[in-house]
Structures are given as structure tokens and as C-alpha cells.
Amino acid sequence: MADPGMTGPGRPAPPAAATERVVARLRPHARRLLLPALLLIAVSGVGAYVFGSFDLEWQNWAVLIGGGVIVLFACVLPFVAWLSVRYVITTRRLIVRRGFFVRSRQELYHARGYGITVHKSWVQSAFGSGNVRVTSGGELPVVLRDVPGAVLVQNALHELVAENQSIAAPYPAAQSSGQSPTQPPARR
């Protein structure tokens, strides 16, 4: 019977890496969908009231097509744009996904460390959201726009960075004794 700690003939298994867990999945605040939702209700009500009241058939169809175009551009497209942005915070990294047809994805590893600032407008403060700006060295900053609970997101990111940097710092005793940080301390 094979030893569960062995991966090959005579080789020990690699150390168990901590599994990556999702801490939070976020989208921009949903208040940006309030106006499109109200517009959808208004266009539907006006369209239902006006449709069929004209004598000529093409006028009734023009009302229906006009209402459909307004709904498409003023209601559906903002909803799709809102759906196309997602922020995922895991125990190892921050992932920013943008785009619907053409997607872009940015990842920032917590072990590298970065600065985190929060900016809130008066409207964002009223709704408890804000822009979280993450700066990492010489790279362009990543902005999590209009995130609900921005201060909570900032605190979570600070804790994850601190936790990952303490895990990533190899053998702190070896660094202070002058040994190479990539080699384990010598056994006595």
C-alpha cells in the first residue's frame, strides 16, 4: 500500500498550501439602476396608455418601437453595463473583471502589499458606498468604483494584506541572523 505522504517513488508530498477562499464578491452599488428602473416603469405605463389611441396603424407601431428603443438604450444597456463589472476578493488576491463582450481582468496579490484609500462623495456617503483605490508600486492604480461598504472593504483588504505578508515572509529568524531568506535555518 502506498504511503499517502508520497507523491512518487520515494518523494515526499509538497507542503499543503492554504486553499484560496472567496472572501467577497462585489459589484458597483445598485443605486445606478434606480433611474433606469423608474424609466422602464414610466415608458411601459405611457406606452400602454398611448398604444392603440391613434387612428393610423403605423403611429401605434411607432409608439411601440420608440418605447422599445428607449427601453433598450436607457434601461437594458445600463443594466448590462452594471452586470459587466465584478470585484472578487479572495484570501490571496484581488480580482477585477470588467467588460461584457471584450473582457479585461486584473489581479493584485495581497502578498505583494499595496496601499488602500477610500474616497466618498456626498451621495456615496448617504448610501454607504465609495471608491476604493488600490495602489501597488509602479503599476497603475486599481479603482473599485462605487463599492457598497467601502470602509469594510478597505478594512478587509488591510487584514488580508497583513495576513499574506506575514505568511509570505520566509523565516524571519534567519533574516535577522544573516542567513539567506530562501534557505531554512540550519538545524543544530
Side-chain angles (χ1 to χ4, degrees):
M1 185 164 162
D3 182 14
M6 305 296 248
T7 57
R11 284 185 269 157
T19 58
E20 184 174 17
R21 294 183 335 266
V22 174
V23 175
R25 294 178 204 266
L26 303 167
R27 292 193 189 277
H29 200 281
R31 80 168 171 280
R32 70 168 51 173
L33 300 176
L34 180 64
L35 187 60
L38 292 174
L39 189 62
L40 176 65
I41 293 169
V43 168
S44 300
V46 169
Y49 181 76
V50 173
F51 185 74
S53 64
F54 295 109
D55 294 333
L56 299 175
E57 191 66 25
W58 71 268
Q59 291 173 334
N60 290 322
W61 283 105
V63 167
L64 188 64
I65 291 171
V69 168
I70 290 172
V71 166
L72 176 68
F73 286 109
C75 301
V76 174
L77 288 181
F79 181 71
V80 169
W82 178 79
L83 278 179
S84 69
V85 178
R86 172 173 267 184
Y87 312 119
V88 180
I89 301 171
T90 69
T91 53
R92 290 187 188 167
R93 58 194 167 158
L94 168 66
I95 304 166
V96 178
R97 295 180 193 157
R98 289 188 175 99
F100 192 72
F101 294 113
V102 178
R103 292 183 180 227
S104 69
R105 177 180 168 131
Q106 289 180 289
E107 293 185 10
L108 288 173
Y109 286 91
H110 301 312
R112 291 184 61 196
Y114 43 76
I116 306 161
T117 57
V118 174
H119 178 280
K120 292 182 173 190
S121 68
W122 65 273
V123 174
Q124 289 173 329
S125 293
F127 285 96
S129 65
N131 297 334
V132 178
R133 184 183 183 115
V134 180
T135 54
S136 174
E139 299 176 14
L140 292 174
V142 175
V143 180
L144 311 180
R145 296 194 190 285
D146 205 21
V147 177
V151 174
L152 184 62
V153 170
Q154 180 187 28
N155 291 339
L157 288 173
H158 278 302
E159 288 178 17
L160 289 167
V161 167
E163 179 182 319
N164 277 281
Q165 285 185 338
S166 68
I167 291 172
Y171 309 107
Q175 290 176 351
S176 64
S177 65
Q179 294 179 353
S180 171
T182 58
Q183 297 176 350
R187 292 189 179 184
R188 297 174 208 231

